[in-house]
């Protein structure tokens, strides 16, 4: 029998208990007959009407948000993903081409999307290790700030997506990826983020265990809504010096969400930096 490949994280990645937790599904009809292909295919057919229901909800929701978007952008001039022109918080920009979306008061929509996927994987008990993500996601709309009504549309969509998983064992967004982009993309969004989250957790834990005998630094570049500084035990000790570097817009939204969610961030140094225009090492050294 060939030996397992060795790597920086091999000891943790091949731990049977750790792998079981990360790959188990606790709540889904699939668990009733896990080895039945007939039952599995039946749930696949069930996912067609449930998926259509989610798609219909989102289409109707988008239509209902149009007045809110118009009100937000053209009447109140609030910063949002649809109104980045006046959303610049720091530093000033010379032209629209130089503008980094994450540096606006609207923050990064991509960062919210990845937070949402990690939150869903944890809440629906499908192996997601990020227990802090749901607490942050409850404070944030999938559309970001500045769009009245979008928060509740986000809550309904996420709830329906979870029930779709409980009933069919399918992840709605991954189904869309497979159906419409399967020729180019061989994995789903949630599956990719699950693997990435687990692997990076292992990397950080392995590094922390290796250096925890004395002071050590952990610098997270483009931190977005990363939660490792708040949930990994190896980082919650006096020897760990933690730094999160990101654009000020996303960082401001995250700090507000952490405060509302009662997540202690006192051990983390937040460093603002627009990676497109500033040197992150210089910004870090200034701290």
């Amino acid at each position: 029998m060939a030996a397992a490949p060795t790597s920086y994280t091999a000891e943790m990645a091949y731990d049977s208990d750790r792998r079981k937790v990360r790959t188990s599904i606790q709540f889904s009809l699939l668990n009733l007959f896990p080895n039945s292909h007939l039952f599995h295919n039946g749930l696949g057919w069930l996912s067609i009407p449930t998926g259509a229901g989610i798609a219909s909800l989102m289409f109707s929701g988008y239509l209902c948000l149009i007045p809110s978007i118009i009100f937000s952008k053209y009447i109140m001039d609030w910063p949002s993903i649809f109104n980045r022109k006046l959303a610049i918080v720091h530093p000033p920009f010379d032209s629209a081409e130089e503008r980094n979306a994450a540096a606006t008061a609207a923050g990064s929509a991509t960062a919210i999307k990845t937070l949402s996927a990690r939150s869903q994987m944890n809440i629906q008990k499908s192996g997601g290790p990020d227990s802090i993500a749901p607490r942050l996601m409850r404070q944030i709309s999938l559309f970001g700030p500045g769009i009245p009504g979008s928060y509740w549309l986000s809550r309904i969509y996420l709830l329906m997506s979870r029930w779709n998983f409980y009933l069919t064992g399918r992840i709605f967004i991954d189904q869309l990826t497979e159906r419409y982009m399967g020729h180019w993309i061989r994995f789903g969004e949630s599956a990719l983020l699950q693997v990435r989250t687990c692997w990076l957790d292992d990397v950080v834990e392995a590094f922390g265990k290796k250096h925890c005998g004395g002071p050590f630094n952990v610098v997270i570049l483009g931190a977005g809504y990363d939660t490792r500084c708040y949930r990994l035990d190896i980082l919650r000790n006096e020897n760990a010096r933690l730094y999160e570097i990101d654009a000020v817009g996303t960082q401001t939204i995250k700090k507000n969400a952490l405060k509302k969610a009662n997540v202690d961030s006192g051990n983390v140094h937040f460093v603002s930096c627009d990676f497109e225009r500033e040197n992150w090492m210089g910004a870090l050294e200034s701290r």
Side-chain angles (χ1 to χ4, degrees), residues 20-276:
K20 182 177 180 180
V21 169
R22 291 174 168 180
T23 58
S24 63
I25 298 176
Q26 295 186 33
F27 302 109
S28 174
L29 288 182
L30 276 177
N31 291 342
L32 294 178
F33 304 100
N35 300 317
S36 172
H37 293 291
L38 181 62
F39 186 67
H40 188 278
N41 292 335
L43 293 182
W45 283 103
L46 176 62
S47 71
I48 295 176
T50 59
I54 296 174
S56 299
L57 166 76
M58 292 308 296
F59 179 74
S60 302
Y62 278 123
L63 292 179
C64 292
L65 282 183
I66 291 176
S68 291
I69 295 170
I70 295 173
F71 174 78
S72 171
K73 181 174 181 178
Y74 296 106
I75 299 177
M76 301 306 296
D77 208 14
W78 289 333
S80 73
I81 60 174
F82 299 101
N83 185 28
R84 297 193 183 277
K85 180 172 136 181
L86 297 179
I88 305 303
V89 285
H90 171 79
F93 291 80
D94 298 326
S95 67
E97 287 72 23
E98 296 181 5
R99 190 173 302 146
N100 176 6
T104 70
S108 168
T110 303
I112 294 176
K113 190 175 182 181
T114 58
L115 172 68
S116 171
R118 300 197 315 270
S119 173
Q120 291 286 87
M121 293 295 285
N122 181 266
I123 295 177
Q124 65 196 22
K125 305 299 181 184
S126 53
D130 195 340
S131 59
I132 300 295
R135 297 169 63 181
L136 294 186
M137 198 62 227
R138 291 188 191 104
Q139 318 303 322
I140 301 172
S141 163
L142 284 170
F143 298 83
I147 304 176
S150 66
Y151 175 84
W152 292 109
L153 177 60
S154 300
R155 302 274 72 73
I156 296 171
Y157 164 73
L158 294 173
L159 178 62
M160 289 187 67
S161 295
R162 290 196 295 272
W163 274 102
N164 177 66
F165 178 81
Y166 298 147
L167 293 173
T168 69
R170 270 74 172 174
I171 299 174
F172 175 68
I173 190 66
D174 286 11
Q175 282 183 286
L176 289 183
T177 302
E178 180 181 3
R179 177 66 178 84
Y180 296 105
M181 293 181 286
H183 291 295
W184 302 278
I185 302 176
R186 298 300 182 182
F187 45 79
E189 175 185 278
S190 298
L192 170 64
L193 289 171
Q194 170 73 352
V195 172
R196 189 181 77 167
T197 299
C198 293
W199 181 74
L200 286 174
D201 281 359
D202 289 349
V203 169
V204 174
E205 286 193 41
F207 176 82
K209 290 177 180 179
K210 183 177 179 180
H211 299 280
C212 65
F216 64 96
N217 298 319
V218 174
V219 180
I220 302 179
L221 299 176
Y225 298 98
D226 189 281
T227 62
R228 290 177 180 84
C229 293
Y230 319 103
R231 62 181 173 83
L232 296 185
D233 292 337
I234 194 66
L235 299 184
R236 301 187 64 79
N237 68 75
E238 58 183 15
N239 287 330
R241 294 186 296 230
L242 309 176
Y243 302 87
E244 290 192 4
I245 305 179
D246 206 352
V248 66
T250 301
Q251 200 170 77
T252 299
I253 297 173
K254 179 179 184 177
K255 288 194 288 187
N256 289 336
L258 288 168
K259 183 177 180 180
K260 291 179 182 179
N262 294 316
V263 177
D264 182 15
S265 60
N267 61 328
V268 179
H269 301 280
F270 294 96
V271 181
S272 298
C273 176
D274 179 359
F275 295 103
E276 293 186 4

